[in-house]
Amino acid sequence: MLKIESLVKSFGGVVATDHVSLDFPSGSLSAVIGPNGAGKTTLFNLITGHLVPDSGRILLAGEDIAGMAPARIVRKGVGRAFQVASIFPTLTVEQALMVAVASHVHMSERLLSAFPPPAVRTRAGELIDLLGMAPVARLLCANISHGDQKLLDIGLALALEPRVLLLDEPTAGMGPEERWQMIGTVRRLWEQGHMTLVFIEHDMDIVFEVAQAIHVLRYGSVLASGNAEQIRGNQEVVEAYLGTEEATA
């Protein structure tokens, strides 16, 4: 579904993405890991069109989307939730989801009316149920918990019906129990949505438990790819990343 071929992006003399090639099969659940500055978020920014690559290809179902405008890439089927939740703080959770749904189905102008389109309200309700957010649906987005804000951000991405969903550190800023609840929700959404899901994560327990495939970046290059057992047993990965994680835990 998503294939990265020899992707390069430099900022002045710094090579942030150095001939990165990765393959994310349709329906897969993959993690991208690596030390700070490894190029993980840059990779996501390139995939979603927020950065234009210097060279290389980004193939979505065989079509090269590299360099397309972000809005066009969303329309092609790539959704993203950010490390810092990007929500509508002055709207309720239900209203925020209706805005996202209406935008996707080209009905934004009708949200100004007193009665939003029934199809928009229905789809927003489905997303609320899917996310388990019914208890906070009528609360302002600014007043819900950090975890619920992160969950809503994922819901806003899901409203766009993506074929590929990118999650940038979905558990960032959460306590241990809240992290596992979030990643359990992410896995359930992936199973029910039949989408290709790629997430960046620093919690190795979560990565090894959830991801089918793990891709390790270091200094903008792919250091290793494999399943949990292969990555755990890779001495280069242990020395470059896992060993550091264990030493600082």
Side-chain angles (χ1 to χ4, degrees), residues 13-169:
V14 178
V15 181
T17 307
D18 189 3
H19 293 91
V20 168
S21 293
L22 295 169
D23 193 5
F24 303 101
S26 180
S28 61
L29 176 58
S30 307
V32 177
I33 68 172
N36 290 333
K40 304 182 297 295
T41 298
T42 297
L43 176 64
F44 273 22
N45 285 337
L46 289 166
I47 294 170
T48 55
H50 291 87
L51 290 173
V52 177
D54 299 332
S55 61
R57 300 201 301 169
I58 303 168
L59 301 175
L60 178 67
E63 180 183 5
D64 191 359
I65 61 172
M68 286 185 183
R72 189 178 177 196
I73 291 175
V74 168
R75 295 289 181 197
K76 294 287 184 180
V78 178
R80 179 182 182 181
F82 292 83
Q83 182 177 351
V84 177
S86 179
I87 56 177
F88 300 91
T90 61
L91 301 181
T92 67
V93 169
E94 181 184 40
Q95 289 170 337
L97 288 168
M98 284 197 296
V99 167
V101 171
S103 173
H104 180 59
V105 297
H106 306 288
M107 290 185 177
S108 298
E109 70 286 348
R110 293 186 58 187
L111 285 176
L112 299 176
S113 68
F115 303 100
V120 170
R121 185 179 292 277
T122 296
R123 177 56 181 157
E126 292 172 350
L127 289 168
I128 288 168
D129 291 340
L130 183 65
L131 296 164
M133 300 191 75
V136 299
R138 301 300 174 88
L139 298 181
L140 291 178
C141 297
N143 295 338
I144 61 177
S145 70
H146 172 70
D148 282 337
Q149 288 184 351
K150 297 278 285 186
L151 201 56
L152 174 59
D153 197 26
I154 294 173
L156 295 175
L158 289 175
L160 306 176
E161 299 183 293
R163 293 185 285 174
V164 175
L165 179 61
L166 308 178
L167 304 181
D168 194 343
E169 297 194 40

